[in-house]
Amino acid sequence: MTELLTSAELFGNVAPLLAHAADFAEGARPEHSATYGWLLLFTPLVGAIVIGLTWKKVSDRAAGLIGTAAIFLAFGAALACFAQLMGMDPEERHILAGYTYAQAFGVDFRFDIYIDQLSVFMALVVTGVSAMIHLYSVAYMKSDAGYHRFFSYLNFFVFSMLLLVLAGNLALLVVGWAFVGAASYLLISYWYRRETATAAGIKAFVINVIGDVGIVVAAYLLWTELGTLTIPSMLANAEDAFTVAPSPEYTAAALLLLVGAFAKSAQVPLHTWLPDAMEGPTPVSALIHAATMVTAGVYLICRMHPFIEISETATLTAAFLGTATLLIAATTALVQTDLKRIIAYSTMSQIGYMIAGAAAAAYSASLFHLMTHAFFKALLFMSAGSVIAAMASNQDVRRMGGFRKAMPFTYVVFTIGALTLAGFPFFSGFFSKDEIISYTLHRGGAFTVIAAGMYIGAILTAIYSMRAVFLVFHGEPCDEAKQLEGGELAHGSPVNPATGALEDTDVGFPGPDHQIAEREGEMRTAMSVLAFLAVVAGAVQIPGVTHLIESWLEPVFEDSRYAHDIPSIATQWIGLGVGAAIALTGIAIAYWTYVANRGVSERLATRFGRLHELLSNAWYFDRIYDAMIVRPASAIASFCNNVVERFVVQGIVEGATGAAKSGASRIRSWQSGLARVYALSVIGGTTIIAIYFLVLAK
Amino acid sequence: MNSALTLLILLPLIGATIAALAPVKQVGQIAAVMTLVQIGFLVPILIDFQVGVELQAYVDEIWIEELGIHYALGIDGLNIFMVALTVFAWAIATFWAATKEWEQPRMFYAMLALAEAGTIGAFVAQDLILFILFFDLLLIPFYFLIGMWGEGDRRRATGTFMIYTLAGSLLMLVGAVAYGVISSYQNQTEISFLLSDLAAAPVGGSTQGWIFAGFALALLIKMPIPPLHGWMPITYRSTPLPVLVVLSAVVAKLGAYGFLRVVLPLMPDAANNFQHVLLVLAIIAIIYGSVMAFSQDEARMVVGYSSVAQIGFVLLGIFVLDAKGAEGALLQMLNHGIVVVGLMLVIGFLAARSNSERLSEMGGLARSAPIFAVMFLIVALATLAMPGSANFVGELYIIFGALSDQFVYGAIATIGVPLAAVYMIRMFQKSMHNREHAEGRSRELNATEFGLLLPAVLAVLALAVYPQFVVERIEPNAEFTVEAYQPSTAVAGGGGAAVSKEADE
Amino acid sequence: MDIVWYVALSAVIFSIGAGGLLARRSPLVMLLCLELMLNASNLALIAFARMWANVDGQIFALVVMVVAACEVVVGLGIIVALYRNRVAIDIDELDSLRDPTEGAISD
């Protein structure tokens, strides 16, 4: 068998294959290696796999510590990347490295990571906040039966998010985008025995896939215009794109990128999944649905900013939809009765700020707010988790009250978070939110309206955030609070409020034990760090004094049209003053409504009943989508099943097979078994043939 | 004469013969072990494979001289991975079958092996009549496999399957013979059915259209594409699961392969003329298949209709007549085959635990089965072409190709992507999540089940990490197949920007 | 003599045999008619052999006789078996090889 290879030939063919596979290119410049970047990316994945594989052999606490350690290591690697970049020339701070993933016909789909100022900034925020949340979860999830699964999924999520922000290839960014969506799905339906949780999971996943599709088609359009999918090359070619008038392809690409961004960041109209996502455990809400994943849309816009800026349609759409979300979410948060949902709608609203700010080309301002928001929102969720634990998993704010004395630590950090959110003077949220607003105002034109909307949103934000504080911690202590004051943590047999079904604590969902911050050191440590950052982080961007983030990110956004069109220091300080006034007014209104005059809110609710209904039902978006999409889809499906399949398709099948069968049976009937008929056929047929040939011969 | 491919075709039969000599209890196990021999035989062929358009391991002997029928076999980028998929899928199917009891096992494994031989032959045949011969030959063992060992209404299923497929095949045979005869008549050459000869001497004009219609009908029935998919529901319900693995994973791809190997090279004018018809059919397949998939209660039918949708994407990739689309289509044929193997195994395991294949009678089966849940999830996410899987790469290329050439069709086809997410996650959730059904008993995979499912999961993961392995091997053939339709497949914008990229390949 | 007479005689005998085959109901008589037909063709063969002075026709006639003998043996054996089993010896009743109404693979 000469065709079979000798072993030498075999090896000769395999070796290049292996060499090719090991072709993990380092940076083209030998002195800039991407090792820290690869470490940063893969440490969480290794953590997830290790926890997953050792789930039976390792104790709960060990798994939690492995997971947390992995993220701390990743944070360390991110710092190393930061230091590496600091050691480079400011104009040249970028490293690209990777391998060919699926390249053909000019479609350069590569697995490349791109380490530059923006990605390192995002990586630091992501890994830093994740590390704190992991630490928090070590204690918070203690009584959960699926502890190992939780940490494995959480680590996998961090890996996915890092893949997203480090991606140097647009197709790879889509991969990171989808992985984040998958991780979010796994964590939302973490308590997979709850029907509400699994329903929320599939909803989030499908909306996320719609976003994926948007980015893929946008990638195609950009690829045809620019000839490459590698992000730094695309950005470099963007300069040529700027000089050309925006073609329909660019506008379409920009709008499709926005579809992706909006789906991920839960902006109107693709926002309906976020409130339902609160079905996941509170650390998940903190990490994914406040600090990191939902901000991926903002990251996308900032990363691909030349292609969004080039199309005025896209920037205006983003700005208006962002502001609309801002206002819709803020108004909805005013009347929500579920504590986590208040915070969820608040997230939606704050991201509206970031998106509108990015649309107004205030990129570093938006990213600054992204960072501060990560701190205080995660903090708020963590504190909410503590409260919910004290309430034996009940999340209804109407049943809460007066936890001030029973949970002093939680009260303090929750209030810090709420004040930062409201924009209390000199806290970090104050500086970041007002920076966005003053840049937007400076942009002028249509953006003045946007800025006005932002100010309205600011007052609403102040009101609802302090509403939460006052409802939960002030007033008469509720039963659970009294119990806690006496030193005992409330227990209850948990029932799913939506379906009334008894929760299955065997396989998940917190069992009889709950963990509150006052009793758990890990939780307190994590929350304190975040509280500290929430208060002081504003110091990095005090107008006229410090501009650390802005100068760090400057080279990335240099090619923006508005790079040097910034408001003056004086304007910014006026803006800060206005912002302070609004925040304090809002806090005062909240105090008046919920502390000084209890009962006003109920009277307002009955007086403006219809409005209250509208807001409680989140502006009826869920119902609209149900009627517009879900019902018609089911109708089409049953039409296909009952009409098309039965009559059309089976009709064709029956037709074809029926024709064959009836034709066959007709021929078969000739086989009567009567020998004389056969004999007649033979003789008759032969005679006919004989006559035919006789005639033919003539 | 290079006999590697002939041996590859005959190996399954040899294996079945050896297995038939064993005592009744061991027949299955021997047959399964013999499939490993096939894998061992295939590996050197795979490694020795040269990237390029040339046919390799080529055989060409005159068989029936008067009719110009050659015994010609060859491998190139179009079929190397199909052959690999065939051997892989059959190996797993045989191992799975070996874990079950069958009446008359010798006949069963012989039929299974004959089907494999026919499929491999169809994939490597380079003569038109030889291709059709193998194409129809593999129907005979399926007649027995479904008719004798099937479940439910198997007699009607077999009858429907056979008559329906044969009706199309008849038209294809007529078309093929006509093509050979008319081609030699029009071009004044000696009659030959060798594909390369026919490609060099095509039939002209309107005749091509009729022949195209005949071929298209047969291949569309095989794939199956709505509205010609009527045989699929009843056949899928009646076929035993190990046989359904190979029917769904491999035999269905034969239809798409037929388009790439025979129809596009031999009937370029007709393909251009009928392009929109086929594209519309592809879109119908994607959307109709997806809608049906998310409304089924039987797990098999979810996979069946999802296969319709996925093969719709493949058809789209082929008929946009763009190199990227063809590349994506070829990649998806391999990916989808692997994923279907995994899904059928999962359905079998789910049914073993809940005593039913209906999703409404399953639930919460992830409870004591984390490994099963993870493996099922990997396969499910790959099926819905989640980015990060090789299925996404295939779909990306198909969508890019579609948008390049036929923007509207490409845009409409993207609706299929979220629909795929709906039906796969629904299937996963209804079986693994939520409350357990009263009748179900969740348990972890035992060693056998794990061993059966692991190869498919590993294949999915391996391709997800490095799809370039497949992509670069099929690239020249994808280009060559559609070369007649496109002036060049150079990228827009001049082959990548000349920006300092700080990494090389 | 002119060959026409012999062929005509052969044709007449053949027709009588064919007519009898179609008209009669007893298998025994049908066998006799078959013999008539076979011998009629033998006659034609030998006549042509004589005309062309070629022995092939006579050899073929011998072959036909052998075949006829074998066929008569089998046919008579079947008739005797039918008689012994008290089955009516009427060709129109012996139709058990007909197509049954219950199908094999269809419906």
Side-chain angles (χ1 to χ4, degrees):
Chain A
M1 199 62 63
T2 53
E3 304 78 32
L4 289 179
L5 298 163
T6 61
S7 52
E9 280 173 292
L10 195 87
F11 188 73
N13 279 308
V14 168
L17 212 87
L18 289 173
H20 190 60
D23 190 45
F24 271 61
E26 303 225 315
R29 299 208 209 125
E31 65 269 21
H32 297 300
S33 94
T35 325
Y36 291 123
W38 293 116
L39 271 175
L40 167 62
L41 179 62
F42 283 110
T43 319
L45 181 64
V46 169
I49 295 176
V50 165
I51 298 176
L53 289 177
T54 59
W55 74 289
K56 280 213 174 110
K57 299 167 194 136
V58 156
S59 77
D60 279 5
R61 194 170 172 81
L65 291 176
I66 296 175
T68 317
I71 307 302
F72 271 102
L73 277 174
F75 183 70
L79 284 173
C81 287
F82 176 70
Q84 192 179 15
L85 287 184
M86 285 291 280
M88 290 160 73
D89 180 18
E91 291 302 313
E92 296 292 316
R93 281 184 182 151
H94 36 88
I95 305 173
L96 182 72
Y99 69 95
T100 312
Y101 183 72
Q103 182 163 341
F105 304 121
V107 179
D108 55 334
F109 188 163
R110 293 175 52 88
F111 192 114
D112 280 336
I113 58 169
Y114 184 55
I115 305 168
D116 78 334
Q117 295 99 330
L118 178 58
S119 51
V120 167
F121 173 80
M122 292 295 298
L124 283 169
V125 172
V126 168
T127 49
V129 177
S130 305
M132 290 302 112
I133 295 179
H134 274 76
L135 187 60
Y136 174 89
S137 310
V138 170
Y140 186 75
M141 300 295 289
K142 253 202 275 193
S143 62
D144 196 292
Y147 198 81
H148 292 252
R149 187 162 55 101
F150 182 80
F151 276 95
S152 183
Y153 286 174
L154 215 59
N155 267 17
F156 176 71
F157 167 77
V158 178
F159 161 71
S160 312
M161 191 67 202
L162 288 170
L163 184 63
L164 199 162
V165 301
L166 287 172
N169 183 295
L170 190 53
L172 187 66
L173 194 149
V174 176
V175 173
W177 200 266
F179 270 26
V180 167
S184 164
Y185 161 73
L186 288 172
L187 285 164
I188 292 175
S189 49
Y190 171 73
W191 288 314
Y192 59 81
R193 318 261 299 162
R194 294 185 105 200
E195 267 142 33
T196 45
T198 51
I202 189 172
K203 184 171 172 181
F205 193 84
V206 175
I207 296 183
N208 189 68
V209 171
I210 295 177
D212 282 351
V213 170
I215 305 184
V216 168
V217 181
Y220 168 74
L221 290 168
L222 290 172
W223 175 79
T224 41
E225 293 288 318
L226 300 165
T228 173
L229 285 174
T230 307
I231 290 182
S233 314
M234 290 170 88
L235 293 173
N237 281 6
E239 289 168 27
D240 305 323
F242 268 129
T243 55
V244 173
S247 62
E249 277 81 24
Y250 276 121
T251 309
L255 287 170
L256 287 165
L257 283 176
L258 286 179
V259 167
F262 279 28
K264 186 68 77 184
S265 296
Q267 300 294 289
V268 166
L270 295 166
H271 66 288
T272 49
W273 64 271
L274 186 59
D276 291 357
M278 296 300 114
E279 289 284 332
T282 309
V284 169
S285 308
L287 179 58
I288 300 185
H289 305 125
T292 48
M293 180 179 114
V294 290
T295 55
V298 181
Y299 167 75
L300 182 68
I301 296 179
C302 292
R303 176 59 87 195
M304 307 296 285
H305 66 271
F307 308 110
I308 313 252
E309 252 188 64
I310 193 176
S311 160
E312 208 177 312
T313 323
T315 45
L316 285 175
T317 315
F320 274 103
L321 284 177
T323 317
T325 312
L326 200 165
L327 293 170
I328 290 176
T331 49
T332 311
L334 276 175
V335 303
Q336 288 301 306
T337 54
D338 180 314
L339 180 59
K340 282 177 71 173
R341 283 192 183 220
I342 297 177
I343 310 178
Y345 281 106
S346 161
T347 307
M348 220 189 273
S349 177
Q350 294 301 305
I351 294 177
Y353 274 100
M354 297 178 219
I355 300 252
Y363 302 114
S364 34
S366 300
L367 290 167
F368 178 38
H369 194 56
L370 191 156
M371 184 181 84
T372 60
H373 176 262
F375 298 149
F376 64 72
K377 200 42 71 70
L379 180 64
L380 276 172
F381 267 114
M382 286 166 156
S383 325
S386 186
V387 172
I388 293 169
M391 290 288 294
S393 299
N394 190 300
Q395 298 178 193
D396 192 334
V397 286
R398 293 170 298 191
R399 290 209 39 209
M400 299 178 193
F403 270 100
R404 246 190 318 185
K405 236 195 274 179
M407 304 179 74
F409 177 79
T410 310
Y411 172 53
V412 168
V413 292
F414 192 99
T415 314
I416 291 178
L419 286 173
T420 319
L421 172 58
F424 191 79
F426 301 109
F427 283 20
S428 60
F430 170 65
F431 286 110
S432 58
K433 196 192 306 185
D434 285 289
E435 189 175 334
I436 294 183
I437 302 183
S438 58
Y439 272 73
T440 310
L441 201 51
H442 180 81
R443 197 61 61 225
F447 285 96
T448 326
V449 179
I450 306 288
M454 286 181 175
Y455 276 122
I456 298 175
I459 199 170
L460 292 172
T461 308
I463 298 176
Y464 70 66
S465 48
M466 294 317 289
R467 167 180 177 258
V469 173
F470 296 139
L471 282 179
V472 173
F473 293 101
H474 286 236
E476 271 299 306
C478 62
D479 293 329
E480 287 84 354
K482 286 196 199 120
Q483 228 181 327
L484 194 50
E485 280 172 40
E488 219 188 86
L489 201 50
H491 297 301
S493 83
V495 167
N496 189 336
T499 62
L502 208 59
E503 300 290 359
D504 183 343
T505 56
D506 264 351
V507 185
F509 205 76
D513 294 315
H514 302 272
Q515 283 69 243
I516 60 171
E518 278 68 17
R519 299 190 177 181
E520 303 289 337
E522 289 93 349
M523 287 166 75
R524 280 203 304 278
T525 320
M527 288 156 87
S528 315
V529 171
L530 286 175
F532 174 74
L533 285 171
V535 174
V536 307
V540 297
Q541 280 279 116
I542 302 176
V545 181
T546 57
H547 48 93
L548 292 176
I549 294 184
E550 206 174 313
S551 44
W552 172 249
L553 292 174
E554 197 184 320
V556 178
F557 298 115
E558 221 168 23
D559 52 0
S560 161
R561 249 175 240 167
Y562 305 101
H564 303 287
D565 184 14
I566 52 181
S568 67
I569 311 289
T571 326
Q572 289 189 47
W573 276 103
I574 296 175
L576 284 174
V578 174
I582 289 184
L584 292 168
T585 319
I587 296 173
I589 295 178
Y591 184 83
W592 184 84
T593 319
Y594 295 105
V595 180
N597 303 309
R598 287 224 142 186
V600 168
S601 52
E602 279 92 30
R603 289 207 296 276
L604 280 172
T606 32
R607 180 107 164 275
F608 297 103
R610 283 265 187 82
L611 185 62
H612 187 85
E613 276 300 304
L614 176 71
L615 298 181
S616 298
N617 286 310
W619 297 64
Y620 295 122
F621 269 98
D622 271 318
R623 274 196 220 173
I624 296 175
Y625 286 153
D626 192 52
M628 262 175 50
I629 298 174
V630 178
R631 297 253 176 90
S634 308
I636 294 176
S638 62
F639 176 74
C640 287
N641 267 299
N642 297 328
V643 176
V644 179
E645 273 295 301
R646 196 174 295 171
F647 296 117
V648 175
V649 175
Q650 294 302 327
I652 299 180
V653 174
E654 299 297 327
T657 53
K661 283 180 206 167
S662 64
S665 77
R666 227 154 283 181
I667 296 176
R668 267 202 325 260
S669 63
W670 196 13
Q671 302 285 302
S672 57
L674 298 170
R676 294 207 287 170
V677 174
Y678 298 160
L680 181 60
S681 315
V682 172
I683 293 172
T686 320
T687 317
I688 293 175
I689 294 175
I691 294 176
Y692 172 75
F693 278 112
L694 282 171
V695 169
L696 200 61
K698 286 282 188 299
Chain B
M1 179 177 104
N2 185 329
S3 46
L5 289 177
T6 313
L7 203 59
L8 193 62
I9 297 175
L10 290 176
L11 263 179
L13 297 170
I14 297 174
T17 316
I18 295 180
L21 296 172
V24 170
K25 284 269 162 41
Q26 260 84 46
V27 177
Q29 291 153 5
I30 306 284
V33 169
M34 294 307 295
T35 60
L36 293 178
V37 172
Q38 288 173 50
I39 295 181
F41 189 74
L42 182 67
V43 168
I45 300 180
L46 253 178
I47 294 184
D48 200 24
F49 183 74
Q50 309 291 328
V51 180
V53 190
E54 297 288 303
L55 284 169
Q56 297 161 49
Y58 191 59
V59 179
D60 184 4
E61 303 283 323
I62 271 285
W63 184 18
I64 304 177
E65 190 159 358
E66 294 78 1
L67 300 175
I69 301 178
H70 294 236
Y71 177 75
L73 311 170
I75 327 187
D76 61 359
L78 282 183
N79 58 16
I80 179 70
F81 289 106
M82 290 293 102
V83 172
L85 176 67
T86 309
V87 172
F88 173 78
W90 248 273
I92 296 194
T94 316
F95 269 97
W96 195 12
T99 64
K100 298 178 192 261
E101 297 285 318
W102 307 97
E103 286 187 16
Q104 302 187 46
R106 292 195 177 92
M107 175 108 152
F108 177 82
Y109 291 101
M111 287 296 130
L112 202 55
L114 183 61
E116 181 178 4
T119 314
I120 297 180
F123 277 126
V124 299
Q126 299 299 324
D127 176 286
L128 189 54
I129 299 296
L130 192 65
F131 171 75
I132 295 181
L133 182 130
F134 279 116
F135 193 89
D136 291 335
L137 178 68
L138 62 91
L139 284 179
I140 299 174
F142 276 105
Y143 171 80
F144 288 103
L145 286 169
I146 303 176
M148 279 180 68
W149 292 280
E151 306 151 2
D153 197 359
R154 64 185 188 222
R155 297 173 93 203
R156 236 190 85 212
T158 320
T160 312
F161 177 58
M162 294 300 290
I163 295 177
Y164 216 79
T165 316
L166 282 173
S169 298
L170 176 66
L171 292 169
M172 186 162 75
L173 178 62
V174 168
V177 171
Y179 196 99
V181 169
I182 296 176
S183 146
S184 92
Y185 176 70
Q186 279 186 359
N187 294 292
Q188 305 295 321
T189 52
E190 264 191 46
I191 186 164
S192 162
F193 282 97
L194 201 57
L195 283 174
S196 45
D197 289 346
L198 289 175
V203 168
S206 60
T207 330
Q208 225 189 70
W210 290 109
I211 300 178
F212 177 90
F215 269 90
L217 210 65
L219 296 171
L220 290 174
I221 290 176
K222 197 79 166 174
M223 287 164 87
I225 299 285
L228 301 169
H229 68 284
W231 61 269
M232 192 268 287
I234 187 171
T235 309
Y236 271 50
R237 287 193 177 104
S238 310
T239 314
L241 274 174
V243 179
L244 192 55
V245 167
V246 295
L247 184 61
S248 186
V250 186
V251 178
K253 312 295 178 288
L254 209 42
Y257 173 78
F259 274 114
L260 285 167
R261 173 67 78 191
V262 176
V263 175
L264 287 191
L266 262 48
M267 293 166 241
D269 299 324
N272 258 317
N273 296 338
F274 284 99
Q275 186 186 23
H276 286 267
V277 176
L278 270 299
L279 284 176
V280 168
L281 284 176
I283 299 283
I284 292 177
I286 295 173
I287 299 192
Y288 184 79
S290 305
V291 168
M292 292 298 287
F294 72 64
S295 55
Q296 297 301 310
D297 190 33
E298 298 169 62
R300 284 192 200 204
M301 298 316 300
V302 173
V303 176
Y305 281 109
S306 97
S307 301
V308 169
Q310 296 294 325
I311 211 87
F313 265 107
V314 171
L315 188 65
L316 181 75
I318 296 174
F319 270 94
V320 289
L321 301 178
D322 179 283
K324 299 188 282 296
E327 176 95 19
L330 273 170
L331 188 56
Q332 280 302 78
M333 283 160 67
L334 173 65
N335 289 331
H336 185 249
I338 297 175
V339 158
V340 163
V341 170
L343 282 175
M344 289 297 170
L345 284 168
V346 163
I347 292 178
F349 300 159
L350 288 173
R353 283 155 178 73
S354 60
N355 293 316
S356 163
E357 281 186 26
R358 290 185 167 266
L359 291 175
S360 53
E361 292 169 18
M362 296 185 200
L365 290 174
R367 179 177 186 141
S368 322
I371 302 180
F372 184 31
V374 168
M375 290 175 110
F376 185 7
L377 188 67
I378 292 175
V379 173
L381 290 177
T383 312
L384 64 92
M386 185 171 109
S389 65
N391 299 56
F392 169 66
V393 177
E395 236 172 51
L396 183 95
Y397 274 94
I398 292 176
I399 291 180
F400 269 37
L403 294 172
S404 293
D405 238 62
Q406 304 285 341
F407 192 85
V408 176
Y409 290 106
I412 300 178
T414 56
I415 298 178
V417 180
L419 290 178
V422 172
Y423 62 68
M424 278 320 296
I425 298 288
R426 172 182 174 268
M427 179 177 165
F428 182 76
Q429 278 192 341
K430 282 202 167 220
S431 56
M432 304 296 278
H433 284 182
N434 295 332
R435 295 298 158 117
E436 271 176 0
H437 199 255
E439 303 289 317
R441 283 273 162 279
S442 168
R443 57 178 168 81
E444 186 55 278
L445 295 174
N446 59 35
T448 320
E449 292 170 332
F450 181 75
L452 283 171
L453 194 49
L454 189 66
V457 173
L458 286 178
V460 166
L461 290 173
L463 281 174
V465 170
Y466 194 58
Q468 182 71 5
F469 180 79
V470 177
V471 166
E472 64 190 11
R473 277 162 183 75
I474 59 182
E475 190 177 347
N477 297 93
E479 188 167 5
F480 184 71
T481 312
V482 295
E483 210 171 48
Y485 305 91
Q486 305 296 126
S488 117
T489 52
V491 67
V499 172
S500 58
K501 243 176 58 151
E502 291 154 80
D504 53 324
E505 266 201 59
Chain C
M1 278 179 74
D2 207 352
I3 191 78
V4 177
W5 295 106
Y6 293 95
V7 175
L9 177 60
S10 165
V12 166
I13 297 176
F14 190 89
S15 313
I16 294 172
L21 181 70
L22 290 172
R24 295 300 296 265
R25 290 170 68 157
S26 165
L28 196 52
V29 176
M30 288 171 80
L31 275 173
L32 286 172
C33 295
L34 274 172
E35 284 302 307
L36 267 179
M37 288 159 74
L38 284 166
N39 283 298
S41 59
N42 272 351
L43 179 60
L45 277 167
I46 294 171
F48 279 112
R50 179 80 168 96
M51 179 172 125
W52 294 112
N54 190 330
V55 82
D56 291 346
Q58 299 179 19
I59 295 174
F60 199 56
L62 283 172
V63 171
V64 169
M65 277 188 225
V66 167
V67 170
C70 299
E71 162 239 320
V72 160
V73 164
V74 173
L76 282 175
I78 294 177
I79 294 174
V80 169
L82 286 171
Y83 180 73
R84 288 222 183 107
N85 284 300
R86 304 184 192 285
V87 178
I89 309 189
D90 175 353
I91 200 71
D92 287 338
E93 309 263 328
L94 300 168
D95 63 352
S96 50
L97 283 179
R98 78 175 190 295
D99 181 61
T101 48
E102 291 86 42
I105 58 165
S106 54
D107 50 276

